[in-house]
Amino acid sequence: MPHGSPFSSHASSPSISPALDRRIERLRALAEAEPRLEGVLLYGSWTLGEADAHSDIEAYLYVTDAELDGFDGRAFLERLAPLRLAYLNQYGILAVVFEDLMRGEFHIAPAGEGVETVATWRDIIHLPEPERAVLLDRTGRLTRAARALGEISPPDPLTTAQHLGDELANWTLMFAQVLARGETARAHALLATVIAPQQLRLVRLVRGSTAHWLTPSRALEADLARPDIDRYTATTGPALPREVRTAGRESWRWSRELTARAATRWGVRVPRELHEEIARLLERG
């Protein structure tokens, strides 16, 4: 991007990760010198102002449509810093590990269609300072699209609490049935990857702590009080039959308590007989 362009990004304010700041500035310089790139958009902890020494770098690289097929993302990133690892992960994202063990995730996307979809990410990706997240924008399209992500709509308490309560009942029933089948590892995974995120969103909703709604486990220790952290901890454990069953019982007790609070506050419907049957299933064995 030529110096003096009306779409140039301003210099970023420093985070508490100087290494990440330097890498981002290096990425900005490389992108400006790479004519095949129309735009670069950052997302993640740096754009939220929460980056630290353990943070990674995450970005969309928007390649002009005519050059997309010939653009070598790995070769471009090797100019950013030497790589120890580079591969397409399960989501088709170029995942890398730099020589200093900083991780990176880079979406290589066509500029034409890709930039147009950015505005549709509202309530999925949050960019509190959209202009800061835009490292390169040759046309102004990317900056305009990113501005749609500057605000995140708070969850509606009633509809959200109802949905989460129903989710927790459904998935905990599945957990109980999987556990009864003897699939301890699968039940353990259900608790951690499916039930816990819904539970953490519900406790955040009940406590009025929705700043990290999109990633509910993020900054949990700072956002929630010790009793809630202890209740969450009680829903975890090793993948052993007795421990998984105990964790599942504690998880369901907490889910029911949170759902009851939501019912009192917002009038959430509670299928009480189903809740009791799930509890009885979890008490077996």
Side-chain angles (χ1 to χ4, degrees), residues 175 188 191 234-249:
F175 165 85
H188 184 267
L191 269 182
T235 71
T236 66
L240 300 171
R242 180 179 297 178
E243 284 79 355
V244 171
R245 184 173 296 278
T246 298
R249 289 168 180 164

Side-chain angles (χ1 to χ4, degrees), residues 15 82 155 216 272 285:
S15 71
R272 301 188 188 283

Side-chain angles (χ1 to χ4, degrees), residues 66-87:
E67 301 288 348
L68 182 64
D69 289 343
F71 185 78
D72 187 336
R74 175 171 184 157
F76 175 77
L77 293 174
E78 284 177 333
R79 293 157 56 196
L80 182 57
L83 302 178
R84 292 191 177 189
L85 179 68
Y87 74 103

Side-chain angles (χ1 to χ4, degrees), residues 191-273:
L191 269 182
T193 63
V194 179
I195 295 172
Q198 312 293 345
Q199 210 166 37
L200 293 178
R201 284 197 175 94
L202 186 53
V203 71
R204 284 183 176 278
L205 193 67
V206 167
R207 305 300 185 219
S209 178
T210 58
H212 293 103
W213 183 257
L214 299 180
T215 308
S217 61
R218 186 180 186 88
L220 185 72
E221 296 79 4
D223 290 352
L224 296 181
R226 185 76 250 173
D228 288 324
I229 297 170
D230 291 342
R231 293 302 298 273
Y232 169 70
T233 301
T235 71
T236 66
L240 300 171
R242 180 179 297 178
E243 284 79 355
V244 171
R245 184 173 296 278
T246 298
R249 289 168 180 164
E250 291 298 324
S251 172
W252 184 230
R253 291 189 188 104
W254 195 31
S255 292
R256 294 185 73 181
E257 290 176 20
L258 292 170
T259 303
R261 285 180 179 269
T264 299
R265 188 175 304 178
W266 299 301
V268 168
R269 301 182 308 278
V270 180
R272 301 188 188 283
E273 290 187 7

Side-chain angles (χ1 to χ4, degrees), residues 3-256:
H3 293 295
S5 164
F7 307 118
S8 298
S9 298
H10 297 294
S12 305
S13 56
S15 71
I16 60 173
S17 176
L20 181 57
D21 291 337
R22 289 192 296 270
R23 189 142 298 158
I24 286 171
E25 287 309 311
R26 172 67 175 160
L27 175 60
R28 187 196 307 275
L30 286 173
E32 289 177 351
E34 175 50 75
R36 293 174 294 178
L37 289 178
E38 178 182 315
V40 175
L41 180 69
L42 293 178
Y43 65 100
S45 60
W46 193 85
T47 61
L48 296 172
E50 298 179 353
D52 59 23
H54 309 287
S55 296
D56 52 17
I57 178 171
E58 301 159 301
Y60 279 80
L61 306 181
Y62 292 104
V63 184
T64 55
D65 292 12
E67 301 288 348
L68 182 64
D69 289 343
F71 185 78
D72 187 336
R74 175 171 184 157
F76 175 77
L77 293 174
E78 284 177 333
R79 293 157 56 196
L80 182 57
L83 302 178
R84 292 191 177 189
L85 179 68
Y87 74 103
L88 289 181
N89 69 14
Q90 66 267 40
Y91 305 110
I93 301 167
L94 179 57
V96 304
V97 176
F98 295 102
E99 63 176 347
D100 57 2
L101 299 186
M102 184 185 293
R103 296 179 55 257
E105 292 186 356
F106 296 88
H107 304 247
I108 312 298
E113 179 183 356
V115 171
E116 295 302 319
T117 65
V118 170
T120 69
W121 300 344
R122 186 177 174 87
D123 299 332
I124 299 174
I125 290 180
H126 183 209
L127 300 176
E129 299 178 66
E131 285 80 2
R132 182 172 185 250
V134 176
L135 293 190
L136 173 70
D137 185 2
R138 298 192 193 277
T139 66
R141 294 193 310 135
L142 183 56
T143 302
R144 288 193 295 270
R147 285 177 183 144
L149 311 181
E151 299 292 335
I152 184 169
S153 302
D156 175 70
L158 174 56
T159 57
T160 305
Q162 185 68 67
H163 176 76
L164 291 172
D166 291 345
E167 285 273 69
L168 287 168
N170 175 58
W171 291 111
T172 304
L173 175 58
M174 181 176 180
F175 165 85
Q177 292 170 334
V178 166
L179 195 61
R181 188 184 292 139
E183 293 183 275
T184 301
R186 187 180 178 199
H188 184 267
L190 277 170
L191 269 182
T193 63
V194 179
I195 295 172
Q198 312 293 345
Q199 210 166 37
L200 293 178
R201 284 197 175 94
L202 186 53
V203 71
R204 284 183 176 278
L205 193 67
V206 167
R207 305 300 185 219
S209 178
T210 58
H212 293 103
W213 183 257
L214 299 180
T215 308
S217 61
R218 186 180 186 88
L220 185 72
E221 296 79 4
D223 290 352
L224 296 181
R226 185 76 250 173
D228 288 324
I229 297 170
D230 291 342
R231 293 302 298 273
Y232 169 70
T233 301
T235 71
T236 66
L240 300 171
R242 180 179 297 178
E243 284 79 355
V244 171
R245 184 173 296 278
T246 298
R249 289 168 180 164
E250 291 298 324
S251 172
W252 184 230
R253 291 189 188 104
W254 195 31
S255 292
R256 294 185 73 181

